[in-house]
Amino acid sequence: VTGLIEVDLNSPEPYTPEYGPWPINRLVRGLDGNALLLLPNIRDGLLIHTGNWTTEEYGQWYPTKDMPNSSGCIHTYPSKIYEIYQQLLKLGVVVNDNTFSGKNYPYTPQGIAVVEQID
């Protein structure tokens, strides 16, 4: 999913190892690009999050290693997701209760993201 997207800060996902302990940024609604078509009608539940991706396939994961492919989510390192969260709080962004979906989203998104694929 690429393009201009409304984003909102939600309380943490319940499975800390996969999503990290901090609030997540939910990609709510596409405004431009293929996101306009895909979010939230065709693709739903995209997040900006971190996690510990230790698996049998990858072995032990550390923040110095590459992150695995996602199912559309945007992965970042633990220190970066914490920094994003802290900066958003300083700007007055509120952590809304996690809806676990972007469909029928009950809050007004508090931000905008531009997502571009770089090969």
Side-chain angles (χ1 to χ4, degrees):
V1 174
T2 59
L4 190 64
I5 303 167
E6 289 182 313
V7 181
D8 203 23
L9 189 61
N10 284 185
S11 57
E13 291 282 319
Y15 188 60
T16 302
E18 191 168 330
Y19 297 97
W22 304 288
I24 50 89
N25 285 276
R26 178 169 304 287
L27 283 66
V28 179
R29 257 184 307 277
L31 301 174
D32 193 25
N34 71 17
L36 178 62
L37 171 69
L38 296 172
L39 292 172
N41 301 315
I42 295 172
R43 188 60 174 92
D44 180 45
L46 297 180
L47 309 171
I48 301 171
H49 69 89
T50 192
N52 180 350
W53 297 286
T54 297
T55 64
E56 282 187 33
E57 180 184 352
Y58 278 111
Q60 183 67 38
W61 185 84
Y62 299 99
T64 56
K65 288 185 164 185
D66 288 339
M67 288 171 266
N69 192 12
S70 73
S71 298
C73 289
I74 299 170
H75 290 163
T76 189
Y77 294 102
S79 62
K80 295 301 179 189
I81 207 70
Y82 178 77
E83 186 178 328
I84 291 167
Y85 160 55
Q86 292 301 306
Q87 291 298 322
L88 290 174
L89 290 180
K90 288 179 186 176
L91 291 171
V93 172
V94 175
V95 179
N96 288 315
D97 289 336
N98 197 328
T99 61
F100 305 102
S101 173
K103 291 183 179 174
N104 303 312
Y105 195 72
Y107 309 109
T108 300
Q110 301 172 83
I112 299 286
V114 176
V115 178
E116 178 182 356
Q117 180 174 334
I118 300 172
D119 293 323

